[in-house]
Amino acid sequence: MNVKIEFFWYEHCPSHTKARSLLNQVIDETGVHAEVTEIKVKTQEHAEALAFPGSPTIRISGADIDPIGATARPALTCRTYVWDDGRYQPLPEKSKLVSAILNAADL
């Protein structure tokens, strides 16, 4: 099964490059066939139209990997993710990304 992944990013947020590398690493490690579409968010209007809660945002099969973070107001900003230990980080937790990809692939 080919998993569809959307990777949304904003150029003034430095964490998007590390997030993209993490996404590539997880795809390679899981062996899941994935089609990744990168979407550069350029304006506030674009952010609102996409319901973009900040950079980076990763949606797998249309679902945000962090449903709580997805509820943030759309904005051209850097996004934070709450890890299981309660820390706020600029990248998603690798284990949650792995789970989201494997679930989408029905593995």
Side-chain angles (χ1 to χ4, degrees):
M1 176 180 190
N2 196 26
V3 175
K4 295 193 183 299
I5 301 173
E6 295 171 303
F7 182 86
F8 299 84
W9 61 284
Y10 171 56
E11 69 181 334
H12 296 294
C13 185
S15 59
H16 74 270
T17 54
K18 288 182 182 178
R20 185 63 166 101
S21 293
L22 176 63
L23 178 60
N24 290 343
Q25 177 186 4
V26 168
I27 291 168
D28 288 345
E29 288 176 4
T30 60
V32 169
H33 296 287
E35 177 186 322
V36 179
T37 302
E38 286 197 23
I39 300 149
K40 182 178 180 181
V41 183
K42 298 178 183 179
T43 66
Q44 180 62 31
E45 294 78 21
H46 195 204
E48 290 171 9
L50 296 170
F52 174 71
S55 180
T57 289
I58 301 169
R59 294 182 184 146
I60 300 175
S61 300
D64 196 295
I65 62 167
D66 176 21
I68 294 171
T71 64
R73 186 172 162 218
L76 291 178
T77 189
C78 293
R79 181 174 177 164
T80 57
Y81 291 86
V82 181
W83 284 25
D84 287 340
D85 63 7
R87 291 181 295 154
Y88 288 84
Q89 298 294 319
L91 302 176
E93 204 161 4
K94 183 179 179 182
S95 61
K96 289 182 181 178
L97 189 53
V98 168
S99 293
I101 289 174
L102 292 176
N103 287 339
D106 290 328
L107 297 177

